[in-house]
Structure formats: structure tokens, C-alpha cells
Amino acid sequence: MNILLLEDELGIRSFVKVNLKREGYNVIEAASGEEAIEKLEKEKIDIALLDVMLPGISGFDVCKYIREKYKNIRVIMVTAKGQEEDKISGLSYGADDYVVKPFSVKELIARVNAQKRRLDEVEFLSHKNENILEVPPFKLDIRQRRFEKDGVEVELTPTEFSIIKLLMTHKGEPLSRNEILDQVWGSDYVGDYKIVDVNVRRIRSKIESSPSKPEHLKTVWGYGYSWRKEE
């Protein structure tokens, strides 16, 4: 599995590369946002680990570029300690997760492995016969990684796709934020459920006629979310 590692500090980049390679990953390095985009166009990337603060093209810009051109790449943003707005911005640009500097190797590997599991799960499900979920006006095709509303494709990030798949599979059943966190990010995820709320807001902006008054992805107040059953 190929990981794009975008980090302008050589010491940090070398340290992270060594530990990722120990886990069996093939690491493709980039020291700038411009170089990262070049590597994306030349290499098959599965997971992108993007530092935010860079001269020139930022990690946010690279994340935005990935989401515009590549449907299935998982993105982890690397933010500075205490920069809460960077976390929210990264998720708003379509990142699947974030890790805060200074980070431990154990935490970093856990987050990368969680994204790998999501990719492996999608690959497994794509080979099963039951790969279509329908709750009108929506249709989700697991094999093709395609989500439609009224026959028109809605572009989703991998994490948004996973959340919708989980909720549609359990349509009408309330799922807690922690349940969604465990199923989508993994039980060993180090973080809180705010990342679920940010992704839900982003999904609603794409699928709801009135995101502030959702008809399909419903809030279960004080608990979590559910997908409306077809009538």
C-alpha cells in the first residue's frame, strides 16, 4: 500500500518514513505541496499524510486537490498542537482524519492502519454480490463507490461514503456517535466524536435540500444519528 508523505522538515519526514516502512507501507516522499501534486499525478496513492503548514501550496490545498481529482485516496492531515481551527478546516476540505504534532509513533501508525482497514473493507465488500443499498431517492453502489440522489451522482469523500453506508445499512436505527466512530474510524481511534459531527454537517450540505432542516440524515438528540426509512 502506497502512502504519500508530505512534510517539509527532513528530520520529521525521515523519522515517519522509517516507522511506516517498518509497518510494511511503501512511502512516497514530498517536501512541498507542489511536489506532492506531482507525485499524485505520477504514482498510485492509497493514503496521503499531509502536513498543514508549508511554504507555497499548503496541505489544505493538496487535500482540496485530492478531493477534486481522486475519489478513493484516504487523507490524514497533520496539524499543530492547539490549532483547533486547523482540524476543522482539514475536515471541511475533505480530510478523513487528523493527527496533532507532536505525535507519538504509536498514534500515527494507529491512524494510518485505521485508514488501511477502511480501504481493505471497501475492497472486500466490492467483491460481494450484495453491493447495492437503496433508500429512495438515494442509491449507494459499494462496488463502484458511487452514491446517487435521484439518479445524479453526489461526490463524497471516502469517510463520508463510509458513514452513509453504515447509516443506510441500519436505516431507521439510531446509531450513537461512538458507534459511528468505532465503525468508521476503528475502535482504536484516538480522538473524540466531534469528527463525526463535522462529517455529518458536510454530508448534509451535499444531500439535503435544506441542511439546517435535514429530512434524510436525522439527528437523534443527545445520542447520535439515523438514516430515515423509506415510506
Side-chain angles (χ1 to χ4, degrees), residues 113-129:
N113 286 342
Q115 298 306 320
K116 179 181 182 298
R117 283 195 299 274
R118 301 285 79 75
L119 288 168
D120 291 343
E121 178 186 78
V122 169
E123 181 68 17
F124 171 75
L125 290 173
S126 69
H127 289 90
K128 295 180 69 175
N129 291 327

Side-chain angles (χ1 to χ4, degrees), residues 79-97:
T79 67
K81 184 178 181 180
Q83 297 298 311
E84 185 71 24
E85 63 273 18
D86 282 352
K87 301 176 189 177
I88 301 301
S89 295
L91 295 172
S92 297
Y93 276 110
D96 298 290
D97 199 2

Side-chain angles (χ1 to χ4, degrees), residues 42-151:
K42 295 178 180 178
E43 308 279 355
K44 179 187 180 301
I45 304 298
D46 300 296
I47 299 172
L49 190 60
L50 310 177
D51 189 26
V52 169
M53 299 303 295
L54 299 166
I57 296 177
S58 71
F60 291 142
D61 295 326
V62 176
C63 180
K64 183 178 179 181
Y65 176 83
I66 288 172
R67 286 294 166 248
E68 289 174 349
K69 293 197 66 175
Y70 305 99
K71 181 180 291 186
N72 296 324
I73 295 177
R74 314 291 292 197
V75 177
I76 302 174
M77 304 300 299
V78 181
T79 67
K81 184 178 181 180
Q83 297 298 311
E84 185 71 24
E85 63 273 18
D86 282 352
K87 301 176 189 177
I88 301 301
S89 295
L91 295 172
S92 297
Y93 276 110
D96 298 290
D97 199 2
Y98 59 83
V99 63
V100 178
K101 289 182 178 178
F103 50 77
S104 68
V105 171
K106 182 177 180 181
E107 178 187 2
L108 178 67
I109 296 301
R111 291 184 185 276
V112 171
N113 286 342
Q115 298 306 320
K116 179 181 182 298
R117 283 195 299 274
R118 301 285 79 75
L119 288 168
D120 291 343
E121 178 186 78
V122 169
E123 181 68 17
F124 171 75
L125 290 173
S126 69
H127 289 90
K128 295 180 69 175
N129 291 327
E130 300 88 4
N131 53 62
I132 302 293
L133 296 174
E134 290 192 75
V135 183
F138 302 103
K139 176 181 177 181
L140 185 143
D141 187 324
I142 296 172
R143 176 171 294 174
Q144 298 297 324
R145 298 286 296 166
R146 183 181 176 91
F147 180 72
E148 298 177 354
K149 179 180 181 181
D150 293 320

Side-chain angles (χ1 to χ4, degrees), residues 84 87 98 111 178 181 189-196:
E84 185 71 24
K87 301 176 189 177
Y98 59 83
R111 291 184 185 276
N178 285 332
L181 198 66
Y189 177 76
V190 182
D192 59 44
Y193 60 75
K194 290 180 181 178
I195 194 172
V196 176

